[in-house]
Amino acid sequence: MRKKIVAGNWKMNTTVPEGVELAKAVKEKSAAVPAGIGLIVAVPFTHIVPVSEVLKGSRVGLSAENCADKEKGAYTGEVSVDMLVSAGCNYTILGHSERRQYYGETDEKLVAKTRLALDAGLGVILCVGENLSQREAGNHFKVVTEQIENVLFNFTAEDLSKIIVAYEPVWAIGTGKTATSDQAEEIHACIRKVIAGKFGEKAADDVTILYGGSCKPANAKELFACPDIDGGLIGGAALKADDFIQIALSY
Ligand code: 13P
């Protein structure tokens, strides 16, 4: 059975004290969310240690937003998977479109990062998604299929059980423009089909596929009602504990 998950991606927002307060509020309000729905917050590196203290013993999982593609050593400014685990992380986001777009994240680097993360015991939230020109050219299925093939096809079905996929159409991120539930569902179904072709029906049926891109309390219910949408990766709306929890209550 695949898990339903609502994850917040705080991106480069909040100071440490603000982040600690937000985490406290999410933890407190998480009691209202049915136990079958997983909750995760992905926070900046500086926030991981204090937020892990806040979330200790709670149901809210803790994720990083990225990790290094090397194990350790002379890589100034990078943060390794072992550092993340020792700081209290359970997951890391990888391949977010903002990293692909602004920081040269390639599928090749994502394979290395995913291998390191899984070997260190971190779950991976792997993001895929097309940009506006790719969608307008009608290439969205092709782009997303290739992203899945280029990264996930390097792993085993067992690895896949520790990977959450997030479909985030770049044109819907932070723009207020949400994909319609039909647009999101058809890509989610495509991702599941591509995964089934490589790893089998069971693995495809078990993989959690989140939607991300201007998901908010007003549209979460319709998106989450789609058969292949298993939750959300929430940006802006995750910065308010009430909105984040409201989205999780939309199931
Ligand atoms: P928004 O919800 O702000 O559009 O961001 C989505 C996202 O990028 C989550 O990773």
Side-chain angles (χ1 to χ4, degrees):
M1 264 295 284
R2 61 188 185 246
K3 290 191 205 99
K4 292 175 174 174
I5 292 173
V6 175
N9 175 10
W10 294 2
K11 306 192 181 184
M12 197 174 74
N13 291 297
T14 73
T15 61
V16 172
E18 287 164 355
V20 164
E21 287 312 304
L22 179 55
K24 281 183 185 163
V26 169
K27 177 182 166 182
E28 199 181 297
K29 293 169 198 288
S30 66
V33 178
I37 295 164
L39 295 171
I40 298 171
V41 290
V43 307
F45 290 136
T46 44
H47 297 37
I48 292 169
V49 168
V51 168
S52 83
E53 287 299 316
V54 170
L55 297 180
K56 206 173 267 174
S58 86
R59 58 176 292 182
V60 184
L62 181 57
S63 178
E65 299 177 11
N66 182 33
C67 71
D69 61 346
K70 303 285 193 304
E71 203 174 336
K72 65 174 174 180
Y75 302 102
T76 303
E78 291 294 306
V79 176
S80 76
V81 289
D82 285 347
M83 293 173 189
L84 295 179
V85 170
S86 68
C89 273
N90 320 109
Y91 302 89
T92 183
I93 293 178
L94 289 177
H96 193 282
S97 62
E98 288 149 15
R99 297 217 58 86
R100 293 180 190 256
Q101 193 177 347
Y102 307 133
Y103 300 99
E105 188 92 296
T106 59
D107 285 337
E108 200 181 9
K109 272 191 195 162
L110 289 173
V111 173
K113 291 183 178 192
T114 302
R115 182 74 274 154
L116 286 166
L118 295 178
D119 288 349
L122 283 177
V124 168
I125 304 172
L126 177 71
C127 302
V128 296
E130 81 285 359
N131 63 30
L132 185 59
S133 59
Q134 290 164 334
R135 174 157 284 261
E136 284 176 347
N139 288 334
H140 38 296
F141 290 105
K142 182 172 174 278
V143 168
V144 170
T145 298
E146 281 175 4
Q147 288 171 335
I148 293 286
E149 288 174 353
N150 290 347
V151 182
L152 281 191
F153 281 22
N154 294 283
F155 295 89
T156 64
E158 199 199 328
D159 292 330
L160 186 67
S161 69
K162 292 162 204 127
I163 298 174
I164 297 163
V165 177
Y167 168 59
E168 299 204 307
V170 179
W171 48 272
I173 296 177
T175 58
K177 262 193 228 164
T178 319
T180 64
S181 52
D182 286 348
Q183 284 173 323
E185 170 59 23
E186 63 182 6
I187 297 274
H188 281 236
C190 163
I191 293 171
R192 214 178 287 287
K193 200 167 145 221
V194 172
I195 289 174
K198 170 79 176 172
F199 299 100
E201 292 292 336
K202 163 123 180 55
D205 203 39
D206 285 349
V207 70
T208 295
I209 309 177
L210 308 180
Y211 169 79
S214 299
C215 185
K216 44 189 178 261
N219 58 26
K221 210 176 187 70
E222 194 188 331
L223 287 160
F224 295 175
C226 298
D228 289 297
I229 299 181
D230 308 312
L233 182 54
I234 319 300
L239 297 173
K240 288 193 183 134
D242 281 331
D243 285 358
F244 180 62
I245 295 298
Q246 197 57 46
I247 290 170
L249 287 172
S250 299
Y251 261 119

